[in-house]
Amino acid sequence: MQKDQRPNIVLILNDDMGFSDLGCYGGEINSPNLDRLASNGLRFTQFYNTARCCPSRASMLTGLHPHQTGVGHMVSDDGLEGYRGDLNHQCVTIAEVLQSSGYRTYMSGKWHVSRHTDPDGPKHSWPCQRGFDRFYGIITGAANYWKPNTLTRDNDPITHDQLPEEYFLTDAISSEAVKFIGDHAESTPDQPFFTYVAYTAPHWPLHAHEEDIARYKDRFADGWDQLRQERLQRMKGMGLLAECWSLSDRDPSQPPWDEAEHKEWNQRRMKVYAAQIERMDRGIGNVIQALEQAGQLENTLILFLADNGGCAEELRPPAKIETSWPVWGGPTTRDGRPVQRGNDPNIMPGPETTYQSYGVPWANLSNTPFREYKHWVHEGGIATPLIVHWPNYIKTGGELRHQPGQLPDIMSTCLEVTGTEYPNDYNGSSILAVEGTSLVPIFDDQDDDNKVLYWEHEGNQAVRRGKWKLVTKYPGSWELYNMEEDRTELNDLSADHPDLVKELSCLYQDWADRCYVEPWNQILETRKGKRSRN
């Protein structure tokens, strides 16, 4: 029994998963453990990320908007304050704040908020330097699941020859999280803990075990058109969507399923993707079991969400293998077999010798019923499941919460449930004021009518206040949608409400000026200048 009765927190983030993939959000994918958390907890229907992996992680971990942390885009240095590709010292992480408050802090999985990945280089923005007592995972982003690069324990690199023959990254992330919880129960049972579990699944490459893929033998045989319709109806039946919301059109770049070529290969892509999520769900089940064995499930707040919407990226063979491969694991498997990178319909994805993505049509399914994908700030890029499980506080499981929320709210929630004060300064640096608001009132089904949400990624911009969302797809014009009547963003009302467009666009610009957001064309010009100088 913990002497300190403050709740433990387990924050689980997965990578590149659409809004409707999980069973408890209307999808076909087996997710019994996450479904269990949902049936005994809460599901949010209007929670948002920031459309991309790095900025989402930076925002969630710090309670700020990503540009304020220095990770306004990815982990490259563009020479501007909001775009240094590295967590700065104007922010604190949840781990740093809770560590200062007496929590033990652990992380297992993908970091991806530091431009420094060399184990012999700077580590000031690595997990153990940003508040985590223990760390196991990768410092960079996407990874070969059997042969991940930048694999690290605490601050020490792990080489491929140190990995067991049966190594698989998703399983390792789960087992290390389980080990952290078990070790904590043995060594420091009187302290609460914060554990951050950051899966790479189901981010490409499409890597999965054949026995997991086989579970989806004919699951996707009806194709993307029929499955999108079926998801829509299930989601409406679950209350996740309003009856008045229509299904967005099939992506115009894709044919109807009846006319699609390479049906066997296309089905295989979605089956491997589903198998990746099921494998992750199985690991989450092991984390839940570890909490039960430690006697801490009732007193643990579990949060599960995704870092962006489904990813429509179609992988192509690299132009130069010697320069394009190092981050992703190398041109060969651990036992020397060649890896064939790129979406080739003549090669079935799944084995270690392949490196593919599930692409546009299945991302369109994953983001049912919404438009667009990862990268964009229309709903398909930013809508995420959020499952909340906390038996000591949430007594009526299976309920939905329709109030909007955003990643900075995760920090504020952790502060409230742990009774921790957010610092004005940390390690000699002044800290920017937290941007989020606690989700605890929403746990109690209260509304926050004054909340305004903002997004920017790669010039794609949006602001939402109440039922109104103003959004643009770079370099296009502003579009205006009524989220109560048309959350699938099919009926642009900007021409009907020019005063509202002006008002919301001014709100957006004030936010952008305050949060170090730069015009995207300026970022592109800066990069072009750096390339020409090099």
Side-chain angles (χ1 to χ4, degrees):
M1 175 68 71
Q2 282 177 194
K3 293 181 181 178
D4 186 335
Q5 292 300 309
R6 291 181 296 173
N8 311 301
I9 299 173
V10 175
L11 175 59
I12 306 173
L13 184 73
N14 83 336
D15 202 345
D16 280 15
M17 187 186 76
F19 180 71
S20 61
D21 281 321
L22 299 176
C24 55
Y25 275 81
E28 307 82 12
I29 299 175
N30 300 322
S31 51
N33 295 292
L34 286 168
D35 295 352
R36 171 191 170 188
L37 295 180
S39 66
N40 293 306
L42 303 173
R43 280 169 294 165
F44 280 58
T45 66
Q46 299 196 64
F47 199 78
Y48 294 104
N49 49 48
T50 66
R52 195 72 175 276
C53 44
C54 308
S56 281
R57 289 158 205 279
S59 181
M60 182 188 70
L61 284 170
T62 64
L64 301 177
H65 294 290
H67 310 77
Q68 295 174 295
T69 74
V71 190
H73 184 232
M74 296 291 283
V75 287
S76 58
D77 187 355
D78 292 320
L80 296 166
E81 185 166 3
Y83 301 81
R84 303 309 299 260
D86 212 34
L87 281 187
N88 61 34
H89 293 293
Q90 289 184 290
C91 64
V92 287
T93 67
I94 297 171
E96 287 173 322
V97 175
L98 294 187
Q99 191 181 59
S100 300
S101 182
Y103 273 68
R104 297 286 293 173
T105 56
Y106 311 103
M107 181 185 169
S108 177
K110 169 179 170 176
W111 184 235
H112 210 200
V113 286
S114 173
R115 69 175 185 264
H116 303 288
T117 60
D118 187 338
D120 296 322
K123 296 184 175 68
H124 59 270
S125 51
W126 282 29
C128 289
Q129 283 67 36
R130 295 309 305 245
F132 288 96
D133 295 314
R134 300 293 312 279
F135 168 68
Y136 175 91
I138 58 173
I139 302 299
T140 187
N144 181 314
Y145 285 78
W146 281 281
K147 186 185 175 183
N149 272 5
T150 72
L151 195 60
T152 304
R153 185 177 297 282
D154 299 329
N155 287 316
D156 299 323
I158 301 172
T159 60
H160 294 145
D161 59 7
Q162 294 175 287
L163 302 179
E165 184 177 346
E166 68 279 6
Y167 186 87
F168 193 71
L169 182 57
T170 302
D171 294 342
I173 291 170
S174 302
S175 62
E176 291 291 330
V178 166
K179 188 172 187 300
F180 288 149
I181 292 169
D183 289 350
H184 179 95
E186 290 185 9
S187 62
T188 52
D190 57 336
Q191 287 181 264
F193 61 84
F194 168 66
T195 301
Y196 174 36
V197 188
Y199 288 98
T200 58
H203 194 296
W204 48 259
L206 293 174
H207 281 168
H209 296 76
E210 199 59 43
E211 64 268 25
D212 292 338
I213 301 168
R215 292 189 179 92
Y216 294 90
K217 182 175 183 295
D218 296 314
R219 186 72 62 88
F220 304 104
D222 290 336
W224 42 74
D225 295 315
Q226 178 66 26
L227 293 171
R228 289 184 81 226
Q229 290 287 346
E230 291 175 4
R231 282 198 188 186
L232 179 75
Q233 296 309 314
R234 282 196 298 269
M235 295 170 80
K236 287 185 175 182
M238 291 176 172
L240 296 165
L241 307 177
E243 284 293 332
C244 63
W245 296 344
S246 300
L247 181 66
S248 63
D249 292 337
R250 179 198 321 110
D251 188 290
S253 70
Q254 300 302 304
W257 175 254
D258 290 345
E259 300 175 12
E261 298 178 339
H262 313 298
K263 283 189 171 60
E264 184 180 357
W265 174 73
N266 264 310
Q267 287 184 61
R268 174 79 176 193
R269 291 206 288 174
M270 189 62 192
K271 288 191 289 186
V272 178
Y273 173 87
Q276 290 177 300
I277 292 176
E278 183 170 347
R279 193 86 176 192
M280 174 200 69
D281 181 85
R282 199 174 305 144
I284 292 171
N286 293 337
V287 172
I288 295 169
Q289 185 178 38
L291 291 169
E292 290 175 320
Q293 290 174 345
Q296 292 299 323
L297 183 62
E298 301 293 311
N299 193 39
T300 298
L301 168 62
I302 301 176
L303 302 158
F304 171 88
L305 68 163
D307 65 351
N308 46 249
C311 175
E313 295 164 357
E314 294 279 4
L315 297 187
R316 289 171 174 80
K320 294 182 179 181
I321 288 180
E322 70 274 14
T323 59
S324 301
W325 275 99
V327 171
W328 318 122
T332 61
T333 64
R334 285 168 58 197
D335 58 5
R337 290 171 293 159
V339 175
Q340 297 170 297
R341 187 169 185 235
N343 290 348
D344 184 343
N346 298 306
I347 300 171
M348 291 295 170
E352 186 180 359
T353 53
T354 68
Y355 207 104
Q356 300 189 24
S357 65
Y358 79 153
V360 175
W362 296 120
N364 204 183
L365 172 66
S366 289
N367 295 336
T368 301
F370 303 127
R371 288 173 53 194
E372 302 299 344
Y373 314 96
K374 171 185 177 179
H375 296 266
W376 292 281
V377 296
H378 285 75
E379 296 291 286
I382 58 176
T384 174
L386 173 62
I387 299 171
V388 180
H389 184 272
W390 187 13
N392 277 0
Y393 191 91
I394 298 169
K395 302 296 185 181
T396 53
E399 295 186 354
L400 302 177
R401 293 293 181 263
H402 301 295
Q403 297 89 331
Q406 197 174 19
L407 290 177
D409 299 339
I410 301 295
M411 166 70 89
S412 297
T413 304
C414 292
L415 294 173
E416 177 166 351
V417 303
T418 63
T420 300
E421 187 174 345
Y422 184 82
N424 294 319
D425 54 76
Y426 185 83
N427 283 349
S429 297
S430 296
I431 302 301
L432 294 173
V434 70
E435 296 281 340
T437 57
S438 173
L439 298 173
V440 172
I442 300 180
F443 295 173
D444 298 326
D445 210 16
Q446 299 175 23
D447 292 323
D448 183 359
D449 296 329
N450 298 316
K451 196 172 187 68
V452 183
L453 309 178
Y454 300 93
W455 298 265
E456 191 281 336
H457 184 67
E458 295 181 340
N460 306 303
Q461 305 168 344
V463 54
R464 177 174 173 177
R465 185 182 66 186
K467 68 180 182 180
W468 294 105
K469 179 183 175 185
L470 192 69
V471 59
T472 182
K473 183 177 180 180
Y474 181 83
S477 302
W478 286 116
E479 305 163 16
L480 180 68
Y481 298 101
N482 183 329
M483 291 284 106
E484 290 181 357
E485 299 176 358
D486 177 33
R487 193 178 167 205
T488 49
E489 299 170 309
L490 302 180
N491 184 24
D492 177 11
L493 300 175
S494 58
D496 299 333
H497 300 280
D499 291 344
L500 186 55
V501 170
K502 182 178 180 180
E503 181 182 354
L504 291 177
S505 64
C506 288
L507 272 181
Y508 172 85
Q509 193 57 53
D510 289 344
W511 168 81
D513 292 342
R514 179 174 64 82
C515 293
Y516 314 119
V517 178
E518 303 288 350
W520 186 238
N521 59 349
Q522 181 177 337
I523 301 298
L524 295 178
E525 285 298 317
T526 300
R527 291 180 178 178
K528 183 178 178 182
K530 287 177 68 175
R531 285 196 298 269
S532 65
R533 288 192 299 271
N534 292 334

